[in-house]
Amino acid sequence: MPKYILSLDQGTTSSRAVLFDEKQNIVSLAQKEYTQIYPKEGWVEHDPMEIYSSQMSVMMEAVAQSGVNVKDIAAIGITNQRETTIVWEKSTGKPVYNAIVWQCRRTAGIIEKLISQGLKDTIRDKTGLIPDAYFSGSKIAWILENVKGAREKAEKGELLFGTVDTWLLWKLTDGKVHITDYTNASRTMIFNIHTLSWDDDLLKALDIPKQMLPEVRSSSEIYGCTGLQGIDVPIAGIAGDQQAALFGQCCFDKGEVKNTYGTGCFLLMNTGNEAYTSKNGLITTIAASNSNKPSYALEGSVFTGGAVVQWLRDGLKIITESHEVEEHAAKVENSGGVYFVPAFTGLGSPYWDMYARGCIIGITRGTTQEHIMRAALESIAFQSNDMIKAMENDTGMQIPEIKADGGASVNKLLMQFQADISAKNVRLPKISESTALGAAYLAGLATGVWQNTDELKTQWQPAKTFTPQISEQKRTTSLQNWTKAITRTLNWAE
């Protein structure tokens, strides 16, 4: 009988479920957006119950759409927005506060305190991360400090912490399983990526009780089961969305690179069993693997990637649908000298400036909406190129090509500009759902649907390749102007 894998892809703005067959074809797909909560400037939250209900809803919808017998679903894989932090009551399953989203900057003060205590290098050495409000540790600390009674309950062992994977797994197994995987643990800023354990010194510095934390396991094994139409289906793969995409793009070998163009942009290079320490503003993280032995990755993170198009739609209201931006931007030959730095919630790699803010510069009387839209698209490629150059400098390896995925990768103008500005080939996969596919791979490898990664790699096919088309002089001038624009945004909201 054919076997199927159900992938739960819980993202920053929507929950999705994708059912794959054993030949990696998409059988069905369901998606549902959910509420974005902005209580204050720079604060971003989600309702954990809405995360779960939306994910359950699309899971049931994808199965119903497919007509597949649940008995033929071999396993479920989970992939998730990373760093987003949920704390809930162990006895009731009730969250004590909204999920604090990875984009949220409220804990900048906590991070400054850690740095002032001389912990910057310690955090870097142990976790591979740069101290930043982006990661989960300071978010847990904020909840314990600011939610009435939370600290006392946590110290009594009455509260649990989880990133979104842990929350979904706990809910899907009726509270029986409190687990995360290495990839998600490596994003918390309290996990030692070398010893593969929660770090007592960092927990003490943030005053986080260890009993809140989930057990950490590999990314590809059976963790527990969930009931689907009365059938127990094993949950057998977990990876944070970017590591899942790296795995889904079949970047199994050292030096292979993918860039995901989503709400943010995330460039990852598989560095094998070597954990590189970046001198250029990148972070070291654990890559998804179907082995108990960890693989590592270098990662660059752009906070505002595709989200800049959402802002054009929802903030400026100059488009009504996100896909319209390409058509409008293509009406002009270039951005007319306009540069757009979308530092709405600060800048990530390689700048790591929590206080940078957005800037549109180079505007003249002749600037039109189309120029601004084109500059917005180009900003995604410029930010990604900053990370590409940092990665080459850190590893001493030339990156020959970028495997691209994510919602914004369907934008041909953006992909061509990325190839032009980076002087790299950009390849899109035939199966565009790389993140969901990565989670499916991990679950399928754990349950025997696929035997090994070699079998997976032979099936990867490119749909389209973009090659550089502009002159070196034009590229150099554009990059110099981009660097000037970036400098205008730094340390704005002191």
Side-chain angles (χ1 to χ4, degrees):
M1 292 292 289
K3 290 290 183 184
Y4 300 87
I5 301 286
L6 182 59
S7 192
L8 307 184
D9 182 358
Q10 206 299 302
T12 307
T13 57
S14 69
S15 294
R16 309 167 81 241
V18 187
L19 189 68
F20 295 94
D21 66 18
E22 59 191 338
K23 290 186 172 62
Q24 307 177 22
N25 298 308
I26 295 172
V27 178
S28 63
L29 185 154
Q31 178 169 344
K32 185 175 184 179
E33 289 196 5
Y34 60 93
T35 311
Q36 306 295 305
I37 303 165
Y38 306 103
K40 294 183 184 178
E41 183 187 347
W43 290 31
V44 191
E45 297 177 0
H46 295 152
D47 177 351
M49 299 308 290
E50 190 181 4
I51 287 176
Y52 174 65
S53 64
S54 62
Q55 192 64 70
M56 279 293 289
S57 159
V58 293
M59 178 171 76
M60 303 310 290
E61 187 183 339
V63 172
Q65 270 180 24
S66 70
V68 165
N69 190 318
V70 173
K71 290 180 181 176
D72 292 329
I73 298 176
I76 293 170
I78 296 174
T79 182
N80 55 287
Q81 54 166 314
R82 303 171 304 167
E83 298 95 18
T84 295
T85 297
I86 304 170
V87 175
W88 66 94
E89 291 178 347
K90 191 175 183 178
S91 59
T92 65
K94 183 181 176 184
V96 301
Y97 191 78
N98 275 340
I100 301 181
V101 180
W102 59 272
Q103 298 158 310
C104 188
R105 312 307 293 165
R106 77 184 66 189
T107 60
I110 295 173
I111 297 300
E112 285 179 349
K113 186 177 175 185
L114 293 175
I115 293 170
S116 72
Q117 291 169 349
L119 288 170
K120 183 176 181 179
D121 290 342
T122 301
I123 289 169
R124 188 60 195 266
D125 293 344
K126 291 185 173 190
T127 71
L129 307 177
I130 291 166
D132 193 85
Y134 178 24
F135 305 109
S136 312
S138 62
K139 300 179 195 299
I140 305 170
W142 189 93
I143 289 172
L144 295 179
E145 282 301 311
N146 290 276
V147 175
K148 190 176 180 183
R151 179 166 299 287
E152 292 75 12
K153 287 181 179 178
E155 287 170 353
K156 289 177 187 173
E158 295 172 5
L159 297 185
L160 299 177
F161 152 73
T163 42
V164 171
D165 58 303
T166 302
W167 168 244
L168 290 178
L169 183 60
W170 194 86
K171 294 289 285 180
L172 288 166
T173 59
D174 294 322
K176 294 185 182 73
V177 179
H178 185 224
I179 281 172
T180 191
D181 84 303
Y182 290 139
T183 69
N184 280 293
S186 72
R187 313 298 298 186
T188 59
M189 214 177 73
I190 50 175
F191 185 76
N192 189 314
I193 62 171
H194 308 289
T195 64
L196 303 182
S197 59
W198 299 114
D199 190 86
D200 290 329
D201 293 337
L202 298 178
L203 291 175
K204 184 178 179 183
L206 285 163
D207 201 8
I208 296 170
K210 198 171 189 176
Q211 57 264 40
M212 297 177 69
L213 307 179
E215 182 185 348
V216 188
R217 300 264 197 96
S218 77
S219 296
S220 181
E221 61 178 270
I222 296 173
Y223 313 104
C225 292
T226 193
L228 260 181
Q229 299 175 10
I231 307 290
D232 278 347
V233 181
I235 301 168
I238 294 175
D241 52 9
Q242 302 314 320
Q243 287 99 328
L246 188 71
F247 204 78
Q249 287 271 36
C250 294
C251 295
F252 305 134
D253 298 327
K254 184 174 180 176
E256 292 188 305
V257 174
K258 72 88 200 172
N259 194 23
T260 296
Y261 296 82
T263 305
C265 289
F266 300 90
L267 185 80
L268 272 76
M269 174 191 279
N270 186 331
T271 62
N273 58 12
E274 186 172 357
Y276 282 84
T277 299
S278 174
K279 294 180 172 63
N280 294 281
L282 303 177
I283 57 178
T284 310
T285 196
I286 298 181
S289 165
N290 61 320
S291 153
N292 280 319
K293 187 179 178 183
S295 289
Y296 294 94
L298 262 183
E299 176 174 331
S301 309
V302 167
F303 295 156
T304 304
V308 71
V309 178
Q310 293 172 335
W311 180 75
L312 295 175
R313 183 192 68 190
D314 303 335
L316 286 191
K317 301 188 189 300
I318 56 176
I319 52 173
T320 53
E321 299 286 343
S322 294
H323 66 82
E324 295 170 13
V325 72
E326 183 172 12
E327 178 190 344
H328 288 290
K331 289 177 181 176
V332 288
E333 285 186 20
N334 52 53
S335 68
V338 174
Y339 289 79
F340 188 158
V341 183
F344 300 149
T345 54
L347 288 169
S349 310
Y351 305 99
W352 294 104
D353 186 344
M354 294 183 284
Y355 301 105
R357 288 297 178 265
C359 170
I360 303 174
I361 200 162
I363 298 170
T364 67
R365 185 66 182 82
T367 299
T368 66
Q369 286 185 156
E370 286 75 20
H371 290 120
I372 290 172
M373 283 189 254
R374 188 161 186 128
L377 282 182
E378 291 181 355
S379 76
I380 301 171
F382 277 125
Q383 290 178 97
S384 296
N385 184 66
D386 288 339
M387 300 191 295
I388 291 165
K389 295 307 172 193
M391 204 164 271
E392 289 182 330
N393 289 336
D394 276 334
T395 62
M397 290 188 268
Q398 280 296 114
I399 296 170
E401 67 175 26
I402 305 294
K403 289 182 174 178
D405 56 53
S409 68
V410 301
N411 190 307
K412 294 184 181 66
L413 190 153
L414 170 60
M415 293 297 98
Q416 184 58 56
F417 189 75
Q418 186 71 75
D420 288 342
I421 209 66
S422 302
K424 312 282 183 197
N425 288 345
V426 176
R427 301 177 85 194
L428 299 180
K430 192 172 180 182
I431 299 172
S432 60
E433 300 293 336
S434 300
T435 304
L437 186 60
Y441 282 168
L442 292 163
L445 287 165
T447 52
V449 174
W450 299 294
Q451 296 309 304
N452 52 51
T453 54
D454 289 341
E455 181 185 348
L456 300 176
K457 196 148 195 173
T458 58
Q459 296 183 44
W460 191 93
Q461 292 179 320
K464 186 169 176 59
T465 300
F466 295 86
T467 58
Q469 303 290 333
I470 64 170
S471 68
E472 187 61 37
Q473 183 181 353
K474 189 173 181 182
R475 181 182 299 117
T476 299
T477 302
S478 295
L479 289 171
Q480 286 172 345
N481 288 339
W482 168 254
T483 301
K484 281 168 64 179
I486 281 278
T487 61
R488 306 299 198 268
T489 72
L490 299 176
N491 198 34
W492 183 263
E494 296 176 24

